[in-house]
């Protein structure tokens, strides 16, 4: 039986006319139906005379389908299948929830704790399997990675597989290389098994092969093909670009159109974003599901959450490391600080690592091993985040000099950053009581203060930097504020 | 003999009519003349029938004077005196030099390394003398201090002296208290003897006595009086306000007018600035000599130097300490980082300290002792700054991720801040050679690299944060760049 959020695949095999190009000459789709609901899914050519149409069924029960094609042999094929419960741990694609948070499709909580390994999937089996082994014990549940290989400092090796068919004179831009995509799918599935979202970068500027300046028709053909192949993988996100603004061959109109093409084609409606170098793409455009931001201005997180009304993900806030480039040599302390700063202003933050390596295996590009001191602390933060109660986590404006996010009246996470106060008065609601824990974000300690607290509460602090406070509503109601409005809820 | 930059004082004694108010009823000034040059100086009433007119002669040689007054007894007094060389170490008032730097009037170099002790001069002799003793060994050559006392957290004690005469029903806003001003003059002179500029704050909002909302006529009378009393002190700077934008009783027109009143009255033309809380006063206005800035955005220093074309002084970038307020609890590391960040972007930075104290003696307000770890490092930076060659120190735009200030072709101070590169390629001029020193700004070490260097130079770095590089032109000419323009100079 097919599992909910698994992949149902229609496989059609037909002899290919040598004179035709099935990648471009054949149209193929299926209409999947469950009672009155119809889901339109495009198929794709997988080489060797094989065509596939893939659905990620998001509801249990019986589904039927009928195919449509300009090839009579592929047209009007019918079938039905039963979808049962999801596999354990499979919660479906990540969605925007509560406006500025995320959750899995089945409602299970999800907060992205990302990392970046741009081309880990272009490094060959040995290193790629090592990366997967590292990820299995790392704190990350999202990874930024590219479809196309990368040409840049510390990235001069040639990839083993290309997305397009190679000929004696270069690439045939009208024919894809199914072997490349099967390999990519395998890696995405392996990430999925580890509970990691594949934030797939569709275009990027660091290129010596031509993928950054394909013509418009090729771009569109590529986008349709990759959506057809990958939309049935629950853990795919579409990142239209890494540093879109460093790609002069594409206009803003191109980006807008590509967003809409994918939005129209993708039956699973995976998350869609685009990442900047300098200026933002306008994240207010309706086809952008969340803000993918490169910036070290974590202190502006709450401003952008408010401005866009969408989840804000700092996908790049510099990387822990020691290379020459300023974006790749921040300390572990700074990285951990940025994580806490971003999360306690209602946003999400991503990691990366760029330590000099004798074989130029830098995590940020190629994966491999993690060498830094931040992942352990990020794992600690992840546990704190995953302990938060259900509800809409929002930035809470307490005062200019302390970051705070939480669920007003229920849950607050304060963070004092590089400040070192010896005490602080918290303006807690007076009509209920709270427990307070002092968190050392670097030492990873969590110390609960005695008793419960209500109203303006003076908290003694250790006069060190990187201290957070977790304030949670305690079971008992406060005695103060008799006449005030009581909190109504579970 | 009167010393250059010393004080020449005309003292006139007259019996006072009990019915008159000599503070407001009597006009008195002198025209001091040296050949064709005439300097107009206002006198002031000092109580007990004594009137004084003070000149800080800025040139040696013979001066003559003639007084003018609406009191016949004070009018048309004449005299002459000889001015000899300045006392050792006395270089006169600080001026703007090279557009965006400072220097003493006699051309000696001066770079402000400030601190803030807002009302140290209102604490009584015991603590004030202790503050002076601390300053004698501290690295600071400028201090921000208020004429009026302060009412604020950790500042609830009553001052011993007020600037206005007290009556049974409150202050007489038409009569000054000469005892207060004599005391202030003594402290300013003591600072001068320590080589410390008194950056005197004329108005501020933290007030329970009424000094922050005197009427316009009283403000103007006060400004004329203080200029008449203090302009002859070489080490006075006029800071029109601390946080002018938190003083709703004064309009922008008031501030503009007060600047011009002092600019017109002050024969010594001391430096004039105004300090903000949130938004800047328009430092482009011509009566502002330099930008006095409250901001933690040290990375914007070069931008503001370029925008205003005036010296930029970060007079407040938060204080080292551990109090509850976010502006008063940064770490020593952050303070030292901000000093280096500001200075290596072509600006100047000021210190302050706010550690909890059992008797509420916080350096930022009351002076006393220094407890923090930043002053030692600031002293180290001061030595580096004072070792710079003569010339116009400007921000130098090398690349987005490294701060640099210096004299192009001659001298560069690079700073990597919280980044930890393991190496960096410096784009040095190819037509001359340089020595390179690696500076650990926290450990206060300075390590010269072997040899001399020219053109693009790869420098191995310790992969720690808070590293600076000092690059100085070496005596020998480079061999490369034969065809390029040679540097012409000493």
């Amino acid at each position: 039986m097919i599992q909910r959020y698994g992949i149902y695949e229609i496989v059609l095999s037909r002899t290919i006319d040598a004179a035709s190009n099935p990648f471009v000459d054949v149209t193929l789709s299926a209409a999947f139906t469950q009672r009155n609901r119809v889901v339109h899914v495009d198929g794709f050519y997988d080489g060797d005379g094989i065509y596939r149409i893939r659905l990620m069924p998001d509801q249990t029960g019986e589904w039927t389908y009928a195919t449509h094609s300009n090839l009579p042999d592929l047209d009007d094929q019918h079938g039905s299948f039963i979808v049962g419960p999801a596999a354990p741990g499979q919660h479906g694609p990540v969605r925007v929830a509560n406006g500025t948070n995320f959750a899995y499709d089945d409602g299970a909580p999800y907060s992205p704790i990302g990392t970046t390994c741009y081309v880990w999937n272009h490094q060959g089996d040995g290193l790629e399997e090592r990366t997967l082994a590292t990820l299995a014990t790392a704190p990350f549940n999202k990874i930024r990675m590219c479809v196309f290989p990368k040409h840049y400092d510390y990235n001069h090796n040639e990839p083993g597989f290309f997305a397009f068919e190679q000929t004696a004179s270069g690439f045939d831009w009208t024919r894809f290389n199914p072997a490349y995509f099967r390999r990519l799918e395998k890696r995405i599935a392996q990430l999925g098994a580890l509970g990691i979202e594949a934030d797939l970068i569709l275009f990027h500027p660091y290129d010596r092969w031509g993928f950054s300046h394909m013509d418009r028709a090729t771009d569109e053909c590529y986008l349709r093909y990759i959506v057809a192949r990958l939309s049935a993988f629950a853990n795919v996100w579409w990142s239209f670009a890494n540093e879109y603004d460093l790609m002069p061959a594409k206009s803003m109109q191109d980006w807008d159109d590509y967003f809409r093409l994918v939005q129209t084609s993708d039956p699973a409606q995976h998350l869609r974003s685009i990442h900047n170098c300098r200026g933002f793409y306008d994240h207010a455009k309706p086809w952008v599901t969340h803000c993918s931001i490169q910036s070290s201005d974590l202190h502006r997180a709450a401003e952008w959450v408010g401005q866009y009304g969408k989840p804000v993900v700092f996908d790049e806030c510099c990387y822990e490391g020691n290379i020459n480039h300023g974006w790749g040599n921040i300390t572990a302390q700074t990285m951990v600080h940025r994580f806490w700063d971003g999360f306690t202003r209602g946003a999400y933050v991503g990691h990366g690592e760029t330590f000099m390596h004798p074989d130029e295996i830098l995590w940020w590009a190629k994966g491999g091993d993690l060498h830094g001191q931040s992942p352990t602390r990020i794992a600690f933060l992840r546990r704190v985040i995953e302990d938060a109660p259900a509800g809409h986590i929002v930035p809470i404006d307490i005062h200019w000099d302390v970051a705070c996010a939480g669920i007003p009246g229920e849950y607050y996470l304060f963070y004092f950053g590089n400040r070192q106060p010896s005490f602080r008065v918290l303006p807690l609601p007076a009509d209920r009581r709270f427990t307070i824990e002092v968190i050392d974000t670097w030492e990873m300690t969590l110390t609960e203060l005695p008793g419960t607290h209500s109203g303006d509460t003076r908290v003694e602090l250790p006069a060190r930097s990187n201290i957070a406070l977790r304030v949670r509503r305690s079971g008992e109601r406060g005695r103060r504020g008799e006449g005030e409005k009581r909190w109504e809820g579970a």
Side-chain angles (χ1 to χ4, degrees), chain A:
Chain A
M1 189 163 61
I2 305 302
Q3 290 172 313
R4 185 186 183 198
Y5 304 126
I7 298 178
Y8 179 78
E9 192 171 77
I10 304 169
V11 184
L12 303 169
S13 177
R14 293 296 179 273
T15 306
I16 301 299
D17 171 1
S20 82
N21 178 350
F23 290 105
V24 295
D25 298 338
V26 176
T27 63
L28 175 64
S29 68
F32 289 88
T33 302
Q34 195 178 37
R35 288 181 54 89
N36 293 311
R37 179 180 175 208
V38 182
V39 178
H40 298 280
V41 181
D42 292 326
F44 63 92
Y45 181 60
D46 198 26
D48 304 321
I50 305 290
Y51 295 84
R52 299 178 195 273
I53 308 171
R54 290 174 176 164
L55 174 76
M56 178 199 69
D58 56 9
Q59 288 190 292
T60 56
E62 185 178 12
W63 292 74
T64 62
Y65 67 81
T67 68
H68 304 280
S69 177
N70 61 353
L71 269 193
D73 275 1
L74 303 178
D75 191 43
D76 210 26
Q77 306 288 311
H78 293 263
S80 71
F81 55 97
I82 303 291
V83 175
Q90 174 58 273
H91 300 285
V94 171
R95 309 293 187 196
V96 172
N98 305 318
T100 62
N101 299 160
F102 295 100
Y104 287 108
D105 189 73
D106 73 352
Y110 173 83
S111 293
I113 311 276
T115 190
T116 291
C117 299
Y118 282 123
V119 287
W120 76 277
N121 48 310
H122 289 272
Q123 304 305 318
D125 287 343
L127 185 53
E128 292 174 28
E129 279 153 24
R130 187 160 188 97
T131 303
L132 288 165
T134 301
L135 287 170
T137 60
F140 308 115
N141 61 17
K142 177 169 95 73
I143 192 166
R144 299 176 66 233
M145 55 186 281
C146 298
V147 176
F148 296 121
K150 179 162 184 153
H151 172 71
Y152 193 74
D153 290 4
Y154 312 104
N155 283 271
H156 299 294
N157 53 329
E158 194 70 2
F161 295 85
F162 288 101
F164 291 89
E165 191 174 308
Q166 284 180 290
T167 70
S169 60
F171 292 111
D172 180 344
W173 299 104
T174 68
R175 289 177 185 269
F176 297 101
N177 175 10
Y180 168 79
F181 285 95
R182 283 194 287 267
R183 203 168 182 285
L184 177 63
E185 288 157 7
K186 176 181 167 186
R187 295 306 181 210
I188 291 171
Q190 288 171 310
L191 292 172
L194 295 172
I196 298 173
E197 303 293 305
D199 195 359
L200 204 61
I201 296 167
L202 299 172
F203 296 102
H204 72 78
Y206 303 106
D207 176 41
R208 66 171 174 265
W209 304 273
F211 305 121
S212 64
H213 48 273
M214 304 185 299
D215 64 21
R216 168 106 179 194
T218 306
D219 281 352
E220 291 183 355
C221 197
Y222 155 67
L223 289 172
R224 287 185 211 284
Y225 189 75
I226 201 164
V227 170
R229 289 202 74 116
L230 300 184
S231 69
F233 289 79
N235 63 320
V236 161
W237 299 22
W238 307 120
S239 174
F240 282 76
N242 183 61
E243 299 181 336
Y244 83 98
D245 47 339
L246 300 189
M247 301 189 72
K250 299 199 196 309
S251 68
M252 196 60 82
Q253 186 68 51
D254 290 331
W255 295 117
D256 291 355
D257 291 346
Y258 294 172
F259 261 104
R260 284 180 290 200
L261 185 158
V262 171
Q263 185 180 29
T264 306
S265 308
D266 177 8
Q269 291 293 299
H270 292 286
L271 294 171
R272 291 176 298 269
S273 72
I274 187 165
H275 165 276
N276 63 292
C277 177
R278 299 190 184 94
F280 294 173
Y281 178 90
D282 180 4
H283 300 303
K285 288 178 177 173
W287 42 81
V288 178
T289 55
H290 64 282
C291 310
S292 173
I293 284 178
Q294 174 173 185
S295 171
S296 300
D297 293 338
L298 283 295
H299 62 276
R300 299 190 64 183
E303 171 192 342
W304 292 329
V305 169
Q307 177 178 344
Y308 296 107
K310 298 179 181 183
V312 169
V313 184
F314 285 82
D315 273 312
E316 187 175 351
C317 66
C318 300
Y319 306 127
E320 181 186 356
N322 63 5
I323 63 170
N324 48 323
H325 299 296
W327 47 260
N329 56 26
I330 64 170
T331 61
Q333 285 80 358
T334 300
M335 176 61 84
V336 173
H337 167 66
R338 289 182 180 176
F339 261 76
W340 277 89
D341 209 21
F343 276 94
T344 54
R345 295 177 194 274
Y348 304 90
V349 186
H351 158 274
E353 191 182 284
T354 44
F355 282 101
M356 296 291 284
H357 186 279
D359 302 319
E360 298 206 332
I361 300 173
L362 282 65
W363 174 264
W364 129 90
K366 298 181 183 172
D369 298 315
L370 286 165
H371 304 276
Q373 297 175 283
S374 67
T376 307
R377 277 86 185 177
I378 292 168
F380 174 76
L381 170 59
R382 179 174 171 174
R383 288 195 295 277
V384 171
I385 289 169
E386 294 183 347
D387 270 354
H392 188 184
I393 302 284
V394 293
I396 299 175
D397 188 7
I398 296 292
H399 199 213
W400 67 274
D401 60 345
V402 56
C404 183
I407 305 165
E410 271 299 287
Y411 173 81
Y412 304 87
L413 206 54
F414 295 92
Y415 178 56
F416 296 100
N418 60 10
R419 297 197 160 88
Q420 53 177 2
S422 57
F423 75 93
R424 184 80 184 192
V425 177
L426 302 183
L428 302 180
D431 62 339
R432 65 201 78 177
R433 301 196 70 79
F434 296 88
T435 60
I436 300 177
E437 290 154 298
V438 178
I439 298 174
D440 186 317
T441 64
W442 182 257
E443 298 297 335
M444 299 177 282
T445 59
L446 208 146
T447 311
E448 184 165 345
L449 302 184
T452 61
H453 309 272
S454 188
D456 284 350
T457 301
R458 178 179 164 128
V459 178
E460 303 303 319
L461 293 167
R464 290 195 302 274
S465 50
N466 305 117
I467 298 299
L469 289 177
R470 178 162 70 176
V471 177
R472 297 192 282 191
R473 184 164 180 262
S474 82
E476 53 162 328
R477 295 287 173 93
R479 293 192 205 129
R480 285 198 267 172
E482 278 303 315
E484 299 176 39
K485 185 176 180 302
R486 290 304 183 95
W487 178 83
E488 304 295 338

